[in-house]
């Protein structure tokens, strides 16, 4: 239900945005692009967004939704005559490879580190890690990416200075994976470092709160193995609020990580977004926004499903 | 399908209600992390405020020899266009902090109003506001701002401030709502309600005083988010990149090959400033958390614990 | 292992929480638990009951430490065991039922899993199916439908949860079950059922119980012997009938009188004042500030334990002292009619 409303909100927002320009969007676009852009691209954009001057807003909205259902997001101006949907289709896998993987890895490592820090409270790790990661988590994603690119790729030459693959075309064929990982490692690393602190700190705090619970005391009184208490009793409960936090932060993280793609010229949605901005490619811009919003929604939905599996208390609702 | 509000309820239960109380400043200053954070933040605020004193060179003057490394005349060197980096840094600090504080404050006000109303009024209004909050939570802010900024090239900072605030209030609203929900059940609030206090009086007299530290923590996060968003936006050339700020400095550095030419003095200071300023705010929040919730402190295990009971 | 009638012996036990400020939460407690008996432990909140349990289960918080005395469990120096040995003894010898079953059960794993994990931890060679069968029959024993092995804590009623906790505590047939206010969170009817359940199980299985509560009237109906704690000390211990009829320490008498009883016409009276601060315990007898019968000596010298009848009715009070320093003169205008045993 919620996801339905959120999806509808995202679609509608996407519809409204071009109409917020003062005056008639169709005329403005025509004027702005006159002579620069193939008129067919503008036509396609207007069809996709129902920008027909003779229709009422409701009719336009209907037309927009129909086009959307057919996957028509217009034609890209930058990559003319490629349809927007096709451009996005090429970018999406790279974003999934980089951002989705880095985000998940960051969450897993950060959560695990939070468990360890809380369990060995006051130990060396616990005294050092929270301070350090408080700082790394306030690094701007793109700046840390720049720094790493400069030192580890330009200066040290350990990593490629950009792109997601060697040569002109990337492929996900099995033989290409070493190359893909080689290109993805550094941008992925910068995303992990800048986003891990939040998970570490919140998991540590959740663990500490949880470890004060009676059932932990009980588990110790039962003489259970330390590992079982740590994972089945403490972490199993402490991870629940962390997952809620994770679901809600996906949008924020993706926003930052898109800029990482730009720094590394990584051919995903962030890079596509930059292309669209620089070329005033409105169809592509809107398509990218829509796809990112839908992807984040979907990610939220998946986390929710997982949450239900982990917490019996929300299962029967 | 699980409504996240259901998960929110278990969440709010887990994070114990009302552990945050009004805090005396001396206790905060006793906490090393909070003090370090306050010093960091104050440093940047002073730099921003004292900008005209700290440099006499206009940040936009392009008359110096380009790409000089730091030297006596230019403590942070010069840019590729022959501007003084120190003066850009100082004035950029001012511009970025203004956007950060203003957008952070505006987002916090929105969060307080929406979160409190939602939590206190309940019923349909609550459901509506909650839905709105959750929708704003899951729609990624930066790409949205990017699209808006492409349609409307901003001339001044104000539209930017407003739109950053509009896209970043939701997290705070959610946290505050669940706190209010918890507080509504507390004896003293219930007593006041039964004594017939009006809702508005209840909110401002009974609830608010117990929420200040939480609101303050939302403000800190709001400022961090605003500074990061502004920088990110300007980094890809949106917003007004001709206003000198941390973000626009990074934009020009990136686009003029500061990396390729190895002009580290150009691209390191603005990013480091964001990191240190944001880190300072995060440290303050972290320290406050420890002050209000002593359990979180990383106290060392007792050394003189005797063998038999260890 | 010796087979004396005494299962657990605490001798002059003191527990300190290191501060700042340092707090001596249990001070010089000597107490024993006999095989197959229910020992009641009563006192106001903050009197050190929980700390004493912490010491007995070796589950004190990080800053808590037994600074003095010894605990002997079945002839073994309990405090001398290392962590691994203690873990082996836990639940097989000593188990715990705590106040709030809701909070003591892990909310995200099933009841059965929480019963069986204790079984598998201590009897790792048990086949999976056998462990679960045992969990089912344990639930049946406490009159909970065995199908609830697959339920979660939030799916059970308060009474059922507490029964499940008791089933769990009995899973490995321990010698001693420590029950920390096991019925406080329940309503009166359910409370009576649970008490009945505990008593019939205890009569059947003959385990020892330390039953901790602030509810004196409850102890007078269930316990074989009762120990009264005040400000970290055991001030009086004796059999149920002795405490019921011949309670000697002024504090015990106050405690008994503060509860209405169905059997005896008692005037309800409270004990004036509040328990003292444990950071800075009062000089002399810790109760002297609230005592109606205090004497000059009480604020100066701490009283020593004294066995009144030679068979274990012990009292820590100057009213029953016989040392030279005792000055029997009550303070002027205070407590004219001192205790009847005086």
């Amino acid at each position: 239900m919620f996801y339905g409303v959120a999806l509808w909100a995202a679609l509608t927002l996407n519809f409204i945005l071009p109409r917020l320009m003062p005056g008639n969007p169709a005329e403005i676009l025509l004027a702005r692009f006159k002579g620069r852009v193939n008129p067919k691209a503008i036509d396609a954009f207007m069809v996709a967004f129902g920008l027909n001057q003779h229709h009422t807003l409701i009719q336009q909205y209907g037309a927009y939704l129909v086009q959307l259902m057919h996957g028509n997001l217009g034609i890209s101006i930058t990559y003319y005559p490629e349809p927007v949907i096709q451009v996005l289709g090429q970018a999406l896998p790279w974003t999934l490879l980089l951002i989705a993987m880095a985000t998940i890895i960051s969450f897993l490592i950060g959560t695990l580190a939070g468990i360890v820090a809380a369990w060995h409270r006051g130990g060396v790790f616990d005294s050092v890690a929270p301070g350090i990661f408080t700082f790394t988590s306030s690094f701007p994603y793109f700046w840390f990416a720049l720094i790493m690119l400069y030192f580890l790729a330009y200066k040290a030459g350990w990593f490629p200075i950009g792109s997601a693959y060697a040569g002109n075309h990337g492929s996900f064929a099995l033989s290409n994976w070493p190359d893909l990982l080689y290109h993805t490692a550094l941008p992925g690393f910068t995303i992990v470092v800048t986003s891990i602190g939040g998970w570490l700190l919140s998991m540590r705090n959740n663990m500490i709160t949880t470890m004060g619970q009676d059932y932990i005391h009980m588990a110790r009184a039962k003489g259970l193995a330390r590992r079982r208490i740590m994972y089945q009793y403490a972490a199993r409960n402490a991870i629940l609020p962390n997952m809620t936090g994770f679901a809600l932060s996906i949008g924020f993280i993706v926003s930052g990580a898109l800029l990482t793609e730009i720094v590394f010229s990584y051919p995903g949605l962030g890079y596509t977004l930059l292309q669209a901005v620089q070329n005033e490619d409105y169809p592509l811009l809107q398509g990218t926004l829509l796809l990112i919003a839908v992807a984040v929604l979907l990610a939220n939905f998946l986390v929710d499903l997982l949450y239900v599996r982990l917490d019996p208390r929300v299962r029967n609702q | 399908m699980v409504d996240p509000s259901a998960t929110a309820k278990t969440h709010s239960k887990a994070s114990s209600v009302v552990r945050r109380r009004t805090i005396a400043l001396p206790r905060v200053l006793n906490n090393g992390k909070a003090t370090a954070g306050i010093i960091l933040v104050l440093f940047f605020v002073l730099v921003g405020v004292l900008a005209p004193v700290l440099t006499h060179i206009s940040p936009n003057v392009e008359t110096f020899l380009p790409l000089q490394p730091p030297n006596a005349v230019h403590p942070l060197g010069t840019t590729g266009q022959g501007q003084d980096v120190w003066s850009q840094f100082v004035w950029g600090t001012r511009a970025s902090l203004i956007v950060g504080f203003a957008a952070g404050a505006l987002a916090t006000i929105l969060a307080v109003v929406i979160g409190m109303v939602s939590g206190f009024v309940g019923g349909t209004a609550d459901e509506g506001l909650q839905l709105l909050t959750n929708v704003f939570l899951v729609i990624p802010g930066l790409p949205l701002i990017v699209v808006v900024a492409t349609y409307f090239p901003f001339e001044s900072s104000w539209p930017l401030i407003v739109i950053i605030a509009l896209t970043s209030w939701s997290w705070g609203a959610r946290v505050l709502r669940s706190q209010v929900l918890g507080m509504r059940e507390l004896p003293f609030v219930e007593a006041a309600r039964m004594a017939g206090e009006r809702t508005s009086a209840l909110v401002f007299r009974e609830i608010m005083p117990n929420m200040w530290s939480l609101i303050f923590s939302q403000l800190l996060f709001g400022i961090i988010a605003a500074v990061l968003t502004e920088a990110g936006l300007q980094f890809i050339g949106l917003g007004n990149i001709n206003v000198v700020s941390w973000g626009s400095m990074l934009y020009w550095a990136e686009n003029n090959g500061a990396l390729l030419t190895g002009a580290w003095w150009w691209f390191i200071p603005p990013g480091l400033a964001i990191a240190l300023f944001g880190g300072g705010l995060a440290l303050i929040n972290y320290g406050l958390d420890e002050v209000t919730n002593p359990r979180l402190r990383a106290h060392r295990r007792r050394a003189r614990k005797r063998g038999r009971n260890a | 292992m010796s087979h004396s009638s005494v299962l657990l012996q605490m001798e002059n036990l003191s527990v300190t929480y290191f501060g700042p400020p340092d707090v001596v939460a249990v001070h010089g407690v000597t107490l024993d638990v006999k095989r197959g008996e229910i020992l009641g432990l009563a006192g106001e909140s903050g009197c050190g009951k929980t700390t004493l349990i912490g010491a007995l289960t070796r589950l004190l918080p990080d800053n808590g430490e037994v600074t003095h005395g010894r605990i002997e469990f079945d002839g073994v120096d309990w405090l001398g065991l290392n962590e691994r040995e203690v873990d082996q003894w836990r639940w097989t010898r000593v188990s715990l039922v705590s106040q709030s079953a809701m909070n003591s059960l892990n909310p995200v794993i099933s009841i059965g899993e929480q019963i069986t994990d204790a079984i598998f931890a201590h009897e790792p060679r048990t086949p999976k199916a056998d462990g679960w069968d045992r969990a089912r029959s344990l639930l049946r024993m406490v009159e909970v439908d065995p199908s609830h092995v697959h339920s979660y804590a939030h799916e059970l009623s308060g009474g059922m949860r507490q029964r499940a906790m008791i089933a769990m505590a009995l899973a490995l047939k321990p010698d001693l079950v420590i029950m920390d206010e096991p019925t406080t969170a329940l309503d009166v009817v359910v409370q009576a059922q649970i008490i009945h359940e505990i008593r019939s199980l205890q009569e059947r299985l003959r385990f020892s119980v330390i039953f901790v509560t602030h509810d004196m009237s409850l102890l007078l109906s269930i316990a074989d012997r009762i120990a009264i704690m005040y400000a970290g000390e055991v001030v009086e211990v004796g059999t149920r009938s002795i405490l019921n009829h011949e309670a000697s320490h002024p504090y015990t008498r106050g405690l008994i009188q503060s509860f209405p009883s169905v059997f005896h016409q008692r005037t309800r009276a409270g004990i004036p004042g509040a328990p003292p601060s444990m950071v800075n315990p009062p000089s002399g007898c810790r109760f002297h500030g609230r005592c109606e019968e205090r004497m000059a000596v009480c604020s100066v010298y701490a009283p020593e334990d004294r066995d009144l009848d030679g068979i274990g009715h012990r009292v820590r009070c100057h009213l029953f002292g016989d040392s030279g320093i005792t000055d029997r003169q009550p303070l002027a205008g205070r407590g004219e009619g001192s205790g009847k045993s005086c």
Side-chain angles (χ1 to χ4, degrees), chain C residues 4 20 31 37 55 91 95 122 131 137 139 145 148 153 156 205 214 223 235 244 253 262 266 276 282 291:
Chain C
S4 73
L31 194 60
E37 79 166 346
W91 229 247
S95 67
H122 294 285
S137 55
L139 286 182
D145 190 320
H148 280 306
L156 303 182
L205 305 171
H214 60 265
V235 293
N244 203 359
R253 280 180 271 136
V262 243
R266 287 203 192 96
C291 185

XYZ file of all heavy atoms in Angstrom, chain C residues 4 20 31 37 55 91 95 122 131 137 139 145 148 153 156 205 214 223 235 244 253 262 266 276 282 291:
201
model
N 25.688 -33.257 52.437
C 25.086 -32.668 53.627
C 23.735 -32.101 53.255
O 23.378 -32.042 52.070
C 25.990 -31.566 54.180
O 25.917 -30.449 53.341
N 33.186 5.812 40.492
C 32.843 6.503 41.716
C 31.340 6.809 41.809
O 30.751 7.082 40.783
C 33.629 7.809 41.604
C 33.799 8.029 40.135
C 33.800 6.683 39.496
N 24.369 -16.977 54.898
C 23.044 -17.534 54.639
C 23.232 -18.896 53.993
O 24.167 -19.097 53.224
C 22.295 -16.601 53.682
C 20.785 -16.770 53.511
C 20.070 -16.582 54.838
C 20.267 -15.768 52.499
N 14.482 -27.118 49.919
C 13.676 -26.140 50.640
C 13.419 -24.899 49.786
O 14.125 -24.638 48.821
C 14.362 -25.707 51.950
C 15.466 -24.684 51.761
C 15.890 -24.017 53.068
O 15.179 -24.139 54.075
O 16.949 -23.352 53.066
N 25.607 -12.186 42.607
C 26.790 -12.867 43.119
C 26.589 -14.377 43.065
O 27.492 -15.125 42.704
C 27.073 -12.410 44.545
N 22.562 -23.418 34.868
C 21.363 -24.090 34.378
C 21.341 -25.584 34.718
O 20.298 -26.132 34.959
C 21.186 -23.897 32.861
C 19.797 -23.455 32.530
C 18.864 -24.182 31.847
C 19.170 -22.223 32.877
N 17.692 -23.467 31.758
C 17.852 -22.269 32.376
C 19.569 -21.084 33.578
C 16.958 -21.221 32.554
C 18.684 -20.044 33.747
C 17.400 -20.128 33.225
N 19.471 -22.433 38.134
C 18.794 -21.725 37.055
C 18.010 -20.564 37.642
O 17.957 -20.377 38.853
C 17.884 -22.670 36.271
O 16.823 -23.088 37.095
N 24.328 -27.666 27.027
C 24.896 -28.453 28.113
C 24.955 -29.943 27.811
O 25.724 -30.673 28.416
C 24.100 -28.208 29.396
C 24.232 -26.803 29.897
N 25.368 -26.355 30.517
C 23.406 -25.733 29.808
C 25.220 -25.071 30.822
N 24.039 -24.669 30.385
N 15.667 -33.153 21.897
C 15.657 -31.869 22.578
C 14.297 -31.209 22.473
O 13.752 -30.702 23.449
N 7.553 -31.628 26.414
C 7.050 -32.215 27.665
C 7.272 -31.259 28.834
O 6.495 -31.257 29.791
C 7.683 -33.586 27.915
O 9.073 -33.487 27.893
N 6.879 -28.017 28.628
C 5.735 -27.110 28.564
C 4.486 -27.807 29.113
O 3.715 -27.222 29.861
C 5.487 -26.641 27.126
C 6.487 -25.616 26.572
C 6.095 -25.187 25.164
C 6.553 -24.387 27.482
N 0.202 -25.609 26.509
C 0.036 -26.462 25.340
C 1.379 -26.642 24.633
O 2.018 -25.651 24.263
C -0.979 -25.810 24.389
C -1.392 -26.743 23.271
O -0.525 -27.471 22.737
O -2.586 -26.745 22.922
N 3.037 -24.715 21.715
C 3.620 -23.391 21.858
C 5.150 -23.383 21.767
O 5.764 -22.329 21.894
C 3.182 -22.742 23.176
C 1.814 -22.140 23.106
N 1.456 -21.224 22.147
C 0.709 -22.335 23.866
C 0.187 -20.883 22.323
N -0.294 -21.552 23.351
N 7.375 -15.034 22.233
C 6.959 -14.481 23.522
C 5.707 -13.611 23.395
O 4.798 -13.694 24.217
C 8.096 -13.684 24.136
N 2.134 -15.162 23.630
C 1.624 -15.827 24.836
C 1.089 -14.792 25.822
O 1.505 -13.633 25.820
C 2.754 -16.616 25.515
C 3.475 -17.671 24.674
C 4.520 -18.374 25.522
C 2.486 -18.683 24.122
N 9.629 -32.455 42.374
C 11.001 -32.606 41.876
C 12.067 -32.316 42.936
O 13.233 -32.569 42.710
C 11.221 -31.699 40.652
C 10.216 -31.908 39.507
C 10.367 -30.828 38.459
C 10.403 -33.286 38.884
N 9.395 -8.728 47.505
C 9.207 -7.748 48.564
C 7.886 -8.021 49.282
O 7.503 -7.317 50.186
C 9.233 -6.330 47.980
C 8.164 -6.104 46.953
N 8.400 -6.258 45.611
C 6.873 -5.796 47.086
C 7.278 -6.040 44.955
N 6.329 -5.763 45.824
N 7.212 -20.027 51.659
C 8.609 -20.352 51.979
C 8.722 -21.285 53.181
O 7.874 -21.289 54.073
C 9.369 -19.068 52.253
N 19.221 -9.216 58.103
C 19.053 -8.796 59.484
C 18.359 -9.868 60.317
O 18.461 -9.880 61.532
C 18.286 -7.462 59.590
C 19.121 -6.339 59.004
C 16.934 -7.559 58.925
N 6.732 -15.731 61.378
C 5.327 -15.371 61.439
C 4.907 -15.019 62.870
O 4.153 -14.080 63.097
C 4.489 -16.537 60.916
C 3.132 -16.056 60.422
O 2.842 -14.864 60.500
N 2.311 -16.968 59.941
N 9.509 -6.943 61.932
C 8.163 -6.735 62.470
C 7.438 -5.645 61.690
O 6.261 -5.782 61.348
C 8.233 -6.389 63.958
C 8.412 -7.656 64.809
C 8.476 -7.319 66.282
N 9.831 -7.045 66.713
C 10.178 -6.048 67.506
N 9.265 -5.222 67.965
N 11.430 -5.873 67.857
N -4.874 -12.227 55.821
C -6.214 -12.764 55.960
C -6.338 -13.576 57.246
O -7.408 -13.725 57.803
C -6.601 -13.687 54.775
C -7.777 -13.096 54.038
C -5.416 -13.910 53.860
N -4.055 -7.962 61.837
C -2.907 -7.092 62.096
C -3.317 -5.674 61.762
O -4.059 -5.432 60.823
C -1.729 -7.468 61.194
C -1.056 -8.759 61.587
C 0.364 -8.733 61.048
N 0.953 -10.050 61.157
C 0.973 -10.923 60.151
N 0.464 -10.596 58.992
N 1.517 -12.090 60.310
N 18.313 3.728 53.794
C 19.442 4.648 53.780
C 20.210 4.570 52.461
O 20.048 3.630 51.697
C 20.304 4.140 54.929
C 20.012 2.682 54.986
C 18.581 2.535 54.606
N 24.650 4.288 57.142
C 24.694 4.869 58.482
C 25.718 4.134 59.353
O 25.997 2.956 59.118
C 23.279 4.630 59.026
C 22.456 4.209 57.873
C 23.347 3.701 56.812
N 14.511 3.105 63.323
C 14.084 2.130 64.320
C 13.339 2.816 65.465
O 13.774 3.831 65.987
C 15.304 1.380 64.855
S 14.875 0.048 65.980
